[in-house]
């Protein structure tokens, strides 16, 4: 189970554990491994075979879960946390949609370096569409996603709940720092996956360093070069650059220092359900250069100094980096605060209050 998905599951069941303690509702959770959660007051149905291959997963969603729902009947609410709509019998049905790959414009190099991601982009739309109209509600993390899902699947916007994710704030313990040199410091924190688009930073560094002779900066990326085929390709092609630092994975406890010692965040990812480093870095009030995509504008809402670039245009990124290196911040503006219409949930309590309205 991916870390983000597991975090959502734990937070959701954490709230439901407290609800179940009141004996008002019986809470049953279908999970891969109950030891990953193991919260009190919840009944677990543990099933590992669906994870072995996608055909298993689809059979479990559309056949086995139907049997389970009949065994548990009557079910007041069936809430699926992983994008797909299972075939079940329940009074209210809802799906938490956090996979935005339906909107990812994949390229051939995705097939080479991350075929699973390309397959997600190709097939996610069809998988999500199956049974989606049977839901009473969808739950998403951002308003742009609500608009996109409503348009793609012809689903009523007033039945799509926007629930921005809660996250642990990075402790700001190094607001000021002394540089070891005069180099301006850029950072990008992300997993070594092709959709994260590390190569646009590498190309921008090459333009500045090799074409323009600019070397008084450093760009640190959280890739070592040995993690997978994509990381190895990045290192082989751009590992020689003096201005590009392959910093490798940064433990969560070190992220505060990693951000504090940087002058600017670059976030070039082409697809995100949120973009957590944007939220984390914005607390420092320092410049950010972000993909000019809806998720980034929304996550950066209220941030002080933001500039956007086409994530396929390394020269546009290099230009913005050069401006900062020269001390020019005219391109960096405050991102206006976003006003999100109802239904809007600020907590899991809000989510379930909305979901259960029609059962009252």
């Amino acid at each position: 189970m991916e870390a983000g998905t597991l975090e959502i599951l734990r937070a959701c069941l954490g709230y439901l554990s407290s609800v179940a303690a009141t004996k008002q509702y019986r809470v049953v959770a279908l999970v891969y491994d109950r030891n990953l959660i193991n919260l009190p007051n919840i009944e677990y149905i543990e099933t590992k075979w669906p994870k072995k291959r996608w055909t298993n997963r689809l059979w479990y969603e559309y056949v086995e879960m139907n049997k389970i729902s009949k065994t548990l009947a009557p079910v007041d609410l069936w809430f699926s946390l992983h994008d797909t709509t299972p075939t079940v019998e329940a009074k209210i049905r809802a799906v938490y949609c956090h996979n935005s790959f339906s909107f990812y414009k994949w390229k051939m190099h995705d097939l080479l370096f991350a075929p699973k991601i390309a397959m997600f982009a190709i097939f996610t739309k069809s998988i999500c569409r199956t049974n989606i109209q049977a839901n009473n509600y969808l739950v998403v993390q951002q308003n742009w996603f609500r608009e996109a899902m409503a348009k793609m699947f012809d689903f009523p916007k007033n039945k799509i709940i926007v629930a921005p994710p809660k996250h642990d704030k990075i402790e700001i313990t190094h607001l000021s720092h002394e540089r070891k040199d005069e180099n301006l410091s850029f950072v990008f924190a992300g997993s070594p996956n092709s959709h994260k688009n590390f190569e646009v930073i590498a190309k921008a560094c090459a333009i500045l360093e090799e074409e323009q002779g600019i070397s008084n900066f450093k760009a640190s990326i959280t890739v070592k070069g040995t993690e997978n085929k994509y990381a190895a390709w990045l290192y082989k092609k751009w590992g020689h650059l003096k201005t590009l630092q392959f910093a490798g994975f940064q433990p969560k406890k070190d992220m505060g220092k990693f951000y504090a010692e940087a002058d600017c965040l670059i976030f070039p990812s082409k697809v995100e359900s949120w973009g957590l480093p944007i939220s984390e870095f914005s607390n420092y009030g320092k410049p950010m250069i972000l993909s000019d995509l809806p998720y980034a504008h929304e996550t950066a809402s209220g941030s002080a100094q933001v500039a956007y670039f086409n994530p396929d245009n390394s020269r546009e990124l290099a230009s913005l980096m050069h401006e900062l290196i020269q001390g020019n911040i005219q391109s960096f503006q405050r991102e206006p605060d976003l006003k999100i219409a109802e239904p809007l949930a600020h907590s899991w309590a809000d989510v379930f209050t909305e979901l259960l309205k029609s059962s009252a």
Side-chain angles (χ1 to χ4, degrees):
M1 184 175 291
E2 297 294 329
T5 308
L6 181 57
E7 185 176 335
I8 291 169
L9 176 61
R10 284 173 174 163
C12 177
L13 291 183
Y15 170 72
L16 290 177
S17 175
S18 63
V19 170
T22 66
K23 308 297 184 182
Q24 184 179 2
Y25 289 100
R26 174 192 179 193
V27 178
V28 181
L30 280 63
V31 298
Y32 168 74
D33 184 352
R34 64 170 296 163
N35 293 321
L36 294 173
I37 306 102
N38 205 27
L39 292 165
N41 311 314
I42 293 174
E43 300 174 37
Y44 295 95
I45 298 176
E46 184 181 86
T47 314
K48 295 186 177 181
W49 64 266
K51 191 175 175 64
K52 292 181 179 180
R53 56 181 64 90
W54 259 97
T55 51
N56 290 8
R57 161 80 184 273
L58 296 176
W59 180 266
Y60 190 59
E61 291 280 332
Y62 303 128
V63 178
E64 294 299 323
M65 282 193 184
N66 187 37
K67 297 177 184 178
I68 293 172
S69 70
K70 292 176 179 178
T71 301
L72 296 174
V75 177
D76 292 302
L77 168 64
W78 189 288
F79 188 31
S80 177
L81 283 176
H82 43 57
D83 300 284
T84 53
T85 304
T87 302
V88 296
E89 294 185 7
K91 186 175 181 181
I92 302 170
R93 296 166 66 178
V95 174
Y96 190 110
C97 301
H98 53 89
N99 186 330
S100 53
F101 280 104
S102 295
F103 309 97
Y104 178 43
K105 297 178 181 179
W106 62 279
K107 294 187 174 183
M108 288 303 297
H109 86 280
D110 290 307
L111 283 174
L112 177 63
F113 296 122
K116 283 187 178 181
I117 287 174
M119 291 300 103
F120 270 132
I122 294 168
F123 294 113
T124 294
K125 180 178 178 180
S126 296
I127 293 172
C128 288
R129 185 184 298 278
T130 303
N131 289 345
I132 196 169
Q133 297 298 335
N135 289 297
N136 302 85
Y137 297 93
L138 304 180
V139 181
V140 298
Q141 294 185 350
Q142 292 191 316
N143 189 61
W144 80 266
F145 204 10
R146 167 161 61 193
E147 299 286 339
M149 293 290 283
K151 182 178 181 180
M152 179 175 284
F153 300 114
D154 193 27
F155 199 91
K157 282 195 287 188
N158 65 348
K159 294 297 183 181
I160 305 178
I161 304 166
V162 176
K166 297 291 183 182
H167 59 86
D168 295 332
K169 289 188 176 294
I170 295 292
E171 185 177 357
I172 302 177
T173 57
H174 305 81
L175 273 177
S176 62
H177 66 277
E178 294 183 6
R179 288 190 192 154
K180 296 179 181 178
D181 52 46
E182 293 302 314
N183 293 341
L184 200 80
S185 176
F186 300 90
V187 296
F188 172 39
S191 57
N193 294 315
S194 61
H195 67 280
K196 295 293 184 179
N197 197 24
F198 284 91
E199 63 267 28
V200 76
I201 298 177
K203 290 176 182 177
C205 289
I207 290 168
L208 294 172
E209 180 180 330
E210 298 180 334
E211 291 186 19
Q212 302 177 14
I214 299 167
S215 59
N216 58 330
F217 73 96
K218 177 182 68 176
S220 298
I221 58 177
T222 53
V223 171
K224 186 176 181 181
T226 58
E227 296 91 336
N228 53 29
K229 288 172 64 175
Y230 176 63
W233 172 72
L234 290 169
Y235 190 81
K236 181 179 180 180
K237 195 169 179 66
W238 292 287
H240 66 281
L241 293 175
K242 295 180 180 179
T243 56
L244 183 62
Q245 180 183 9
F246 286 75
F249 172 76
Q250 300 294 306
K252 190 172 183 178
K253 63 182 179 63
D254 295 335
M255 288 306 299
K257 185 174 185 293
F258 187 69
Y259 289 146
E261 293 181 348
D263 297 293
C264 176
L265 174 77
I266 302 174
F267 201 81
S269 181
K270 294 184 178 182
V271 60
E272 295 288 334
S273 57
W274 184 259
L276 181 58
I278 299 173
S279 297
E280 295 172 339
F281 196 84
S282 67
N283 294 326
Y284 291 83
K286 294 186 285 190
M288 298 189 292
I289 304 175
L290 312 178
S291 285
D292 191 8
L293 293 171
Y295 82 82
H297 283 270
E298 192 161 337
T299 305
S301 173
S303 297
Q305 301 181 67
V306 190
Y308 295 94
F309 75 104
N310 179 343
D312 289 316
N313 193 328
S314 55
R315 293 194 176 276
E316 194 175 333
L317 173 58
S319 178
L320 288 168
M321 293 171 68
H322 191 199
E323 287 183 31
L324 271 187
I325 293 167
Q326 292 179 314
N328 180 1
I329 60 170
Q330 290 184 350
S331 297
F332 294 79
Q333 306 293 328
R334 177 180 175 83
E335 178 68 30
D337 291 295
L338 178 68
K339 304 299 182 184
I340 301 176
E342 298 290 341
L344 175 64
H346 295 288
S347 65
W348 282 108
D350 291 346
V351 169
F352 283 99
T353 297
E354 189 71 32
L355 293 179
L356 292 168
K357 269 184 180 179
S358 56
S359 69

